[in-house]
Amino acid sequence: MDDYQETRCEQCVIRQFNSLRAMSKEELKKVSDTKTTQYFKKGDAIFTEGEKLNGVFCVRDGISKLSKLSSNGKDQIVKLATKGHLLGQRSVISNEPANLSAIAVNDMQVCFIPKEGILNTLNSNSNFAVEVLRHMAHDLKEADDVIVNMSQQTVKQRVAEAFLYMKNNFGEDDKGFLNLTLSREEISNVVGTATESCIRIISEFKKENWIKASGKKLAIINEKALIDLVNS
Amino acid sequence: MDDYQETRCEQCVIRQFNSLRAMSKEELKKVSDTKTTQYFKKGDAIFTEGEKLNGVFCVRDGISKLSKLSSNGKDQIVKLATKGHLLGQRSVISNEPANLSAIAVNDMQVCFIPKEGILNTLNSNSNFAVEVLRHMAHDLKEADDVIVNMSQQTVKQRVAEAFLYMKNNFGEDDKGFLNLTLSREEISNVVGTATESCIRIISEFKKENWIKASGKKLAIINEKALIDLVNS
DNA sequence: CGGTTTCTTGAATCGAATCAAGCCGCGTGG
DNA sequence: CCACGCGGCTTGATTCGATTCAAGAAACCG
């Protein structure tokens, strides 16, 4: 890792993927002066639900699951964040404790940006505010769609959708295996179901030759079948 | 109705409840000059999913359900909007077709505000942008919570939650009956379940004396019991 | 008043959760 | 190097909750 000299935000390519690109050079410099780079290992918490956040986290590498504990004691993964995503924005903007926990699924490299830099820019640079707004609008639309899927689709459809989501958002390697590898339990926490139910459906998919497995890695073989299932 | 002379936005008390209050006097005047007042009858669509919106709708009176059709053909009500809520914001900000349909549950009075007024102010007045952002952040938190509830709670818990939601957001009259009256089918579309299942649970609640009915109106008698059920 | 829609209840069926047991891969320590 | 234990994975059998189908009662409207 190149922490002998940390990358400055101004030069960081990652920021092209998120709302920080709407900041001016000077704003970015100020932010860069206050930011710190942090490393998390698989399973570490970046923050946990209920925690007060003093800034936002910009993911440089690795993947984080954003989840919430429900009253029955089970974790529900609400979304997965990767390179370029900002975590904790919502909490900082509404000045409330975090609503979700962010846990590293992989080893991660994350920049912590104190909230002052964000809030000041938000108030002075409406370009930036609108850019953040656009991202939040997009997240909201996705969340609404998830609500509809969660309440109206069968577990089987939701598992299929989870695979498609993993493919579309995190891609696959040259051999067709999904870049993102989740444990069975994590998949069921995305889908919102019991682990065994989820496992059973995965093995059905294998029998149908819609997906295959090699070690922990999974690959989608028949994407169309999965899509058809979701839309039926 | 006082449409012999429409209320000007500057004098409209409703706007105190939404992000329009962060607009300056002049901005508000401009908006007021372009706005039109519209009336919708119970069951009318203010807009439907997939429709391109040319502005936002500010609810002055009545209640609207925001719902989406899922692939299985059932409607899922994602949220309910009342006096002071702005509809179609998200769509206008991200310049995408509406993701949800807005249908009047009651007779409604709604102001239509062309998007130019909104977008111009957004770009020039960062106060306004931040205010909109704060509202959107709040909506996003609520949506995330709904995702968790939908996927982890039983139908019974969700029905209880729906009643509490109706009480907290729309209140009750002097006799303790909920101001918002939904048909059984609408309640099940909120809860995301079959109408009969929902009816059955409502009659259970009645037997337990947690709620009572008079005509179409429902009243919560034992709020604590409902809350306990949700948190169990 | 008949016809329609909404509400209600019952019984059968289906999907998913739960409980229980065995398996596999892996790391540890004898 | 193998035995052991552990955690993650897999499968089967049972139970439970929710949906569906069906049919009757009540409210609603022209």
Side-chain angles (χ1 to χ4, degrees):
Chain A
M1 309 273 178
D2 55 348
D3 57 357
Y4 60 94
Q5 195 193 352
E6 289 187 359
T7 310
R8 302 266 316 161
C9 296
E10 305 94 287
Q11 277 120 39
C12 178
V13 280
I14 301 289
R15 80 160 202 287
Q16 290 307 324
F17 298 118
N18 64 42
S19 24
L20 294 182
R21 67 174 175 176
M23 278 198 180
S24 70
K25 268 265 159 58
E26 306 88 64
E27 286 161 343
L28 219 42
K29 273 185 190 153
K30 276 192 209 149
V31 161
S32 199
D33 289 340
T34 61
K35 80 141 204 285
T36 58
T37 304
Q38 305 182 353
Y39 295 89
F40 295 93
K41 286 212 288 286
K42 179 174 177 171
D44 287 351
I46 298 165
F47 53 81
T48 52
E49 94 185 69
E51 191 178 329
K52 265 203 92 196
L53 300 186
N54 297 313
V56 302
F57 297 84
C58 177
V59 180
R60 290 204 67 202
D61 201 23
I63 293 169
S64 164
K65 55 180 175 184
L66 291 153
S67 65
K68 179 162 182 168
L69 215 60
S70 86
S71 47
N72 68 15
K74 285 195 198 151
D75 241 11
Q76 175 67 37
I77 297 179
V78 172
K79 66 185 95 167
L80 294 160
T82 185
K83 200 181 286 188
H85 289 195
L86 290 178
L87 310 179
Q89 268 192 100
R90 202 209 59 76
S91 170
V92 163
I93 286 166
S94 43
N95 195 28
E96 290 169 346
N99 190 38
L100 306 171
S101 298
I103 314 283
V105 171
N106 285 153
D107 290 354
M108 297 186 74
Q109 186 189 1
V110 175
C111 292
F112 173 74
I113 303 173
K115 65 179 169 187
E116 289 71 24
I118 302 290
L119 292 175
N120 288 341
T121 312
L122 225 39
N123 286 319
S124 57
N125 177 349
S126 63
N127 259 348
F128 177 63
V130 170
E131 187 66 25
V132 174
L133 196 49
R134 255 197 280 270
H135 277 268
M136 188 104 50
H138 175 255
D139 286 352
L140 186 56
K141 174 189 150 83
E142 283 199 333
D144 284 345
D145 288 347
V146 172
I147 291 173
V148 176
N149 290 340
M150 280 294 174
S151 45
Q152 300 289 355
Q153 313 220 124
T154 63
V155 170
K156 209 163 164 177
Q157 290 175 308
R158 275 155 33 210
V159 173
E161 192 138 292
F163 284 134
L164 296 171
Y165 174 83
M166 286 163 71
K167 174 172 171 176
N168 293 333
N169 287 276
F170 306 99
E172 39 193 23
D173 64 21
D174 45 355
K175 291 191 175 118
F177 289 98
L178 294 173
N179 283 326
L180 172 59
T181 305
L182 296 176
S183 72
R184 302 299 192 240
E185 193 184 0
E186 284 170 325
I187 297 175
S188 25
N189 289 346
V190 170
V191 173
T193 190
T195 314
E196 300 96 319
S197 309
C198 191
I199 287 178
R200 237 172 278 266
I201 288 166
I202 291 176
S203 64
E204 273 184 56
F205 285 176
K206 276 193 223 160
K207 285 205 188 101
E208 303 255 21
N209 265 318
W210 293 356
I211 62 173
K212 66 175 174 180
S214 156
K216 305 228 159 225
K217 290 209 157 274
L218 288 171
I220 295 176
I221 303 175
N222 189 342
E223 183 169 4
K224 191 174 172 311
L226 294 178
I227 294 173
D228 287 349
L229 175 60
V230 168
N231 298 320
S232 64
Chain B
M1 310 271 176
D2 56 346
D3 58 357
Y4 60 95
Q5 196 194 345
E6 288 187 0
T7 310
R8 300 269 314 163
C9 296
E10 305 94 288
Q11 278 119 38
C12 178
V13 280
I14 301 289
R15 80 161 202 287
Q16 290 307 325
F17 298 117
N18 64 43
S19 25
L20 294 182
R21 67 176 174 173
M23 278 199 179
S24 71
K25 268 265 160 56
E26 306 88 63
E27 285 162 344
L28 220 41
K29 272 185 190 153
K30 274 192 209 146
V31 160
S32 200
D33 289 341
T34 62
K35 81 141 204 287
T36 58
T37 303
Q38 305 183 353
Y39 296 90
F40 295 93
K41 286 213 287 284
K42 179 176 177 168
D44 286 353
I46 299 164
F47 54 82
T48 52
E49 102 188 60
E51 191 178 328
K52 265 203 90 195
L53 300 186
N54 297 314
V56 302
F57 298 84
C58 176
V59 179
R60 291 205 66 202
D61 201 24
I63 294 169
S64 164
K65 55 179 175 184
L66 290 153
S67 65
K68 179 162 181 168
L69 215 59
S70 85
S71 47
N72 69 15
K74 284 195 198 151
D75 242 9
Q76 175 67 38
I77 296 179
V78 172
K79 65 185 96 167
L80 294 159
T82 184
K83 199 179 287 187
H85 289 194
L86 291 178
L87 310 179
Q89 269 192 100
R90 202 207 59 77
S91 169
V92 163
I93 286 165
S94 43
N95 195 27
E96 290 169 346
N99 190 38
L100 305 170
S101 298
I103 314 283
V105 170
N106 287 152
D107 289 355
M108 297 185 74
Q109 186 188 0
V110 175
C111 292
F112 173 75
I113 304 173
K115 63 179 171 189
E116 288 72 24
I118 302 289
L119 292 175
N120 288 340
T121 313
L122 225 40
N123 286 319
S124 57
N125 176 351
S126 63
N127 259 348
F128 178 63
V130 170
E131 187 65 26
V132 174
L133 195 48
R134 255 197 279 272
H135 277 268
M136 189 105 46
H138 176 254
D139 286 353
L140 185 56
K141 174 189 151 82
E142 283 200 334
D144 284 346
D145 288 347
V146 171
I147 291 174
V148 176
N149 291 339
M150 280 295 175
S151 44
Q152 301 288 356
Q153 313 219 121
T154 62
V155 170
K156 210 164 164 180
Q157 290 174 308
R158 272 148 45 203
V159 173
E161 192 138 292
F163 283 134
L164 296 171
Y165 174 83
M166 284 164 72
K167 172 172 172 179
N168 293 332
N169 287 275
F170 306 99
E172 39 193 22
D173 63 22
D174 45 354
K175 287 188 178 125
F177 289 97
L178 294 173
N179 282 326
L180 172 58
T181 306
L182 296 177
S183 72
R184 301 299 191 244
E185 193 184 0
E186 284 168 325
I187 296 175
S188 27
N189 289 346
V190 170
V191 172
T193 192
T195 314
E196 299 96 321
S197 308
C198 192
I199 287 178
R200 237 173 279 263
I201 287 167
I202 290 176
S203 64
E204 273 183 56
F205 285 175
K206 275 192 223 162
K207 285 205 188 102
E208 303 254 22
N209 266 318
W210 293 355
I211 64 172
K212 66 176 174 180
S214 156
K216 304 231 156 224
K217 290 210 158 273
L218 288 171
I220 294 176
I221 303 174
N222 189 343
E223 183 168 4
K224 189 174 172 312
L226 294 178
I227 294 174
D228 287 348
L229 176 61
V230 169
N231 299 321
S232 64

